[in-house]
Amino acid sequence: MITAQNINLCYDKKTVVWDFDFEVRPGEIVSLIGPNGSGKSTVLKAISRLLKCTCGTVHLDGYDIYKLPTREVAKKLSILSQVHATPPDFTVRELVNYGRVPHQQWYETLNQEDREIVAWAIAQTRLEQFADRTVNSLSGGERQRAWIALALAQRPQVLLLDEPTTFLDICHQIELLDLVKRLNASLGLTVVMVLHDINHAAAYSHRLVVIKDGRKVAEGAPVDVLTPKLLSEVYNVQAEIAYHPKTGKLYFHALGLACAKKELPCNQATA
Amino acid sequence: MTTRSEAQPTAAPRSLRVVKKALVLVLALGLLLTAAVVSLRFGSLSFSTAEIWQALFGGEETLAKIIVLDVRLPRMLVALMVGANLALSGALLQAVMRNPLADPGLTGVSTGAALAGVSIMLVFPQWGALVPFAAFIGGAIACGLVFLLAWKRGLDPIRIILAGVAVNAVFGGGTSLLSILYSDRIQGILMWLNGSIAGRSWHHVRLLAPYTAVALVAAMLCIKPANLLQLGDDAARNLGLNVNVARTVLSFIAAFLAGISVSTVGLIGFIGLIIPHVCRLLIGSDYKFMLPLSALLGSLLLITADAAARTVFRPVELPVGIIMAVVGGPFFLYLLRKGGTYRV
């Protein structure tokens, strides 16, 4: 689906990701985890063509993503950034309509099929009752779902989500992750997301990729990757890993900082 | 989980909203036509609507016919085109910059045109006929400079704004310097610097019309990219828009619209800043409706303000820019306080 080989990424000559290899297989949910500033979101931007690599290649279905026409990429892949700007008077439906833009010529407007797909996307995200309400009058979780509906209206094969649960309360976080899981299971939608919450990442992903200081540290199924040793090395946190007695799901509990030098900022302690 | 949202009133059904928006457009068109006729009636001499009709379509050589056809009609047409151009320019730039304070002056067009125009008028008054041409070139150079300075692997709105402020300062300084060096001749350029449509004739209409037609069509083709830019750079890119190309093309069209206007009538500020906001408040921020309404209301405002400029302090004519700033500012504040679906 997506293959990134040996990519290096930089902002203004400062390299933030080094020699990164990454592969996404069709139909899986992959989560990128790592400390703040480790380069998770940067990698996500690179594999979505929003940011160009200084070296290395990213392929989407075998084609170089930087050489494909950007509109063609938009039919296969959709990325949702952390922050959204919605014009204040746009209703949910008006916003979701824009998801059809990559499928239209510049002079075309919505046709019947587009309208049906928009209605389908709104139904998938369970926003029917809010369809004609302005996006800004919705709560944070509903707003996030409206943007996911826009992404769905693109009819992508891959959905990239940059910290989709940030700014949401726990109920909306779970509601959103359940939605992602449902879309993955029912549509076969491939999902790559950046998550901060390790327990969520473990519970909702088939595979985890752990990044620290712009390099890949570990990769694999949550049970294999998440070990007290890794959490101590990557996050400088002393943690206990357990399986929940009822659900059997893996979860971790932070006991405290791993390093004694507590007065040092988190990133410097292990550097 | 949905309690907060359910407390909000449901927006009107989709079809009703579209009908309402279409109605606003029709109403604006009606007002514009009315203002056009009224502006032909009033001036240092007033005529009845019947006399205007007679002058426009009748065969007799009346006084009304001479004044209306040779003086007021071209003047009204210039106001019509300039008003629409400046409003469209501002609307496009606000999409490009994603900044509510963006206006055509920001691109350097106005100050560049002013420096070139003023240079001709003050230093080489014998070449006065070249003013529109020189002003357009001056505006183009200043605007090019702004975008050259702002370019760094793409166009960043903040950098355009900062470069615009810097270039405006330099060119504005040049204009001030010239005004002081040639202070004996300053009287003649004051009207131009404050924007005036007085004395604009068929010559100016012919000069302006072809460029306006081209630019209007180009602006209307920008509706989709302008809408996408409103969603933010990442979202626009995600939807397959080449953001840098779109920004450059939209800025170029906006600068062209402002350039052709400023070079014919001098500096008229305010329209480009305020009309797009008024339109958002009235019809929402979808450029499909907002852009045509901007053109209509821009024309309406300038025609009305010009009619006021030549009648209120009769026989003295005021620069139309002054009228608009004095009347438009408070009106804008009123709209802002009153709010609507759109809040800045």
Side-chain angles (χ1 to χ4, degrees):
Chain A
M1 191 88 247
I2 299 180
T3 345
Q5 275 176 334
N6 202 19
I7 53 174
N8 281 264
L9 300 162
C10 63
Y11 291 116
D12 283 327
K13 288 176 187 160
K14 185 173 173 282
T15 307
V16 290
V17 173
W18 281 276
D19 301 330
F20 196 86
D21 287 317
F22 184 48
E23 200 195 342
V24 183
R25 294 183 276 273
E28 68 175 349
I29 300 183
V30 187
S31 290
L32 296 165
I33 59 170
N36 288 337
S38 58
K40 310 177 294 278
S41 298
T42 313
V43 168
L44 203 70
K45 278 192 172 154
I47 61 174
S48 66
R49 81 185 171 318
L50 294 191
L51 186 74
K52 207 168 174 355
C53 312
T54 36
C55 71
T57 54
V58 178
H59 284 92
L60 175 68
D61 278 342
Y63 297 99
D64 187 335
I65 200 165
Y66 301 111
K67 289 191 181 137
L68 278 176
T70 172
R71 219 158 58 91
E72 291 306 310
V73 178
K75 293 180 193 171
K76 289 185 172 175
L77 174 151
S78 181
I79 176 163
L80 221 56
S81 317
Q82 264 177 63
V83 205
H84 311 301
T86 323
D89 57 305
F90 273 30
T91 63
V92 171
R93 196 190 308 276
E94 281 166 349
L95 178 70
V96 178
N97 282 343
Y98 283 99
R100 297 309 295 159
V101 168
H103 298 269
Q104 297 162 350
Q105 294 299 322
W106 59 270
Y107 52 85
E108 279 178 325
T109 49
L110 292 177
N111 60 30
Q112 192 53 38
E113 190 199 347
D114 291 328
R115 283 181 214 288
E116 278 163 20
I117 291 172
V118 167
W120 167 84
I122 290 173
Q124 284 291 323
T125 46
R126 305 207 171 131
L127 284 168
E128 294 100 328
Q129 60 186 121
F130 307 118
D132 291 313
R133 208 169 271 178
T134 63
V135 176
N136 287 1
S137 72
L138 303 182
S139 73
E142 291 150 5
R143 224 178 285 178
Q144 187 70 295
R145 264 155 52 207
W147 278 86
I148 290 191
L150 172 132
L152 285 181
Q154 286 174 250
R155 296 306 299 265
Q157 293 156 18
V158 196
L159 179 62
L160 309 184
L161 302 167
D162 192 357
E163 294 184 25
T165 54
T166 318
F167 312 125
L168 300 185
D169 63 45
I170 185 68
C171 161
H172 285 107
Q173 287 181 20
I174 291 182
E175 182 186 61
L176 190 109
L177 289 166
D178 280 343
L179 169 68
V180 169
K181 200 174 168 184
R182 188 157 46 79
L183 295 173
N184 169 263
S186 62
L187 308 173
L189 186 69
T190 310
V191 179
V192 184
M193 52 187 175
V194 168
L195 285 180
H196 262 304
D197 190 311
I198 296 171
N199 286 331
H200 284 163
Y204 285 94
S205 342
H206 300 117
R207 213 150 53 83
L208 297 182
V209 174
V210 188
I211 309 177
K212 183 181 161 67
D213 296 335
R215 289 172 208 275
K216 184 156 73 183
V217 188
E219 182 176 10
V223 264
D224 302 327
V225 170
L226 293 176
T227 58
K229 184 165 173 285
L230 179 110
L231 291 168
S232 150
E233 278 170 13
V234 172
Y235 288 97
N236 188 32
V237 162
Q238 199 189 347
E240 245 175 35
I241 304 278
Y243 293 89
H244 194 271
K246 275 189 191 148
T247 61
K249 277 184 186 166
L250 178 145
Y251 73 95
F252 101 109
H253 180 75
L255 300 171
L257 291 182
C259 176
K261 299 175 200 161
K262 281 183 186 167
E263 69 275 13
L264 282 177
C266 293
N267 283 340
Q268 286 175 24
T270 50
Chain B
M1 150 218 128
T2 54
T3 42
R4 200 175 92 81
S5 307
E6 269 157 7
Q8 304 280 338
T10 315
R14 204 174 1 154
S15 51
L16 205 70
R17 282 159 52 96
V18 172
V19 169
K20 244 168 87 182
K21 287 175 179 179
L23 214 64
V24 173
L25 280 173
V26 171
L27 206 69
L29 188 66
L31 274 175
L32 177 58
L33 289 175
T34 315
V37 172
V38 169
S39 84
L40 290 180
R41 281 186 56 186
F42 295 105
S44 41
L45 275 174
S46 296
F47 303 109
S48 69
T49 311
E51 281 173 306
I52 300 291
W53 187 264
Q54 190 70 28
L56 287 177
F57 303 105
E60 279 172 76
E61 281 290 326
T62 55
L63 178 66
K65 189 178 178 82
I66 294 168
I67 291 181
V68 168
L69 273 192
D70 291 347
V71 182
R72 289 194 193 156
L73 186 60
R75 185 168 171 167
M76 188 269 281
L77 288 175
V78 168
L80 180 94
M81 290 189 278
V82 168
N85 291 349
L86 288 174
L88 285 176
S89 174
L92 290 179
L93 283 172
Q94 284 172 14
V96 166
M97 315 285 181
R98 278 198 291 120
N99 187 317
L101 288 179
D103 88 328
L106 203 71
T107 56
V109 165
S110 311
T111 42
L115 182 58
V118 167
S119 306
I120 297 270
M121 283 189 277
L122 291 180
V123 188
F124 308 106
Q126 65 274 25
W127 296 339
L130 286 179
V131 166
F133 182 70
F136 184 79
I137 300 289
I141 291 175
C143 174
L145 213 57
V146 167
F147 283 95
L148 215 63
L149 289 170
W151 186 274
K152 189 179 169 195
R153 277 180 291 112
L155 281 176
D156 174 53
I158 298 292
R159 267 202 301 271
I160 302 178
I161 291 168
L162 292 178
V165 169
V167 168
N168 278 341
V170 174
F171 279 72
T175 306
S176 304
L177 182 70
L178 280 179
S179 328
I180 290 167
L181 288 179
Y182 294 88
S183 50
D184 51 323
R185 300 179 189 167
I186 189 81
Q187 205 57 38
I189 67 159
L190 272 180
M191 281 298 268
W192 192 80
L193 274 182
N194 284 296
S196 173
I197 311 174
R200 294 295 172 264
S201 62
W202 285 109
H203 166 68
H204 296 98
V205 174
R206 276 192 293 271
L207 206 65
L208 203 52
Y211 297 113
T212 302
V214 172
L216 274 181
V217 173
M220 291 307 157
L221 295 179
C222 292
I223 287 174
K224 217 176 233 182
N227 269 334
L228 287 174
L229 282 176
Q230 290 195 92
L231 299 176
D233 283 14
D234 282 353
R237 272 195 200 105
N238 168 50
L239 291 170
L241 182 74
N242 190 326
V243 169
N244 274 332
V245 171
R247 269 221 168 91
T248 313
V249 171
L250 261 66
S251 306
F252 177 80
I253 294 171
F256 186 76
L257 281 162
I260 54 176
S261 310
V262 172
S263 56
T264 359
V265 301
L267 306 191
I268 299 184
F270 200 69
I271 288 195
L273 175 64
I274 237 134
I275 288 294
H277 280 298
V278 172
C279 292
R280 277 198 192 89
L281 289 164
L282 290 174
I283 210 166
S285 45
D286 184 345
Y287 271 67
K288 197 165 43 175
F289 299 102
M290 192 276 238
L291 212 56
L293 187 66
S294 289
L296 290 176
L297 289 193
S299 297
L300 173 64
L301 178 61
L302 197 54
I303 287 177
T304 316
D306 183 50
R310 64 175 186 242
T311 45
V312 174
F313 288 99
R314 217 162 17 184
V316 178
E317 276 211 19
L318 296 175
V320 66
I322 292 178
I323 296 279
M324 281 194 311
V326 171
V327 180
F331 177 66
F332 182 58
L333 285 178
Y334 161 74
L335 280 176
L336 215 57
R337 297 291 301 180
K338 195 170 145 273
T341 43
Y342 186 88
R343 277 169 222 282
V344 184

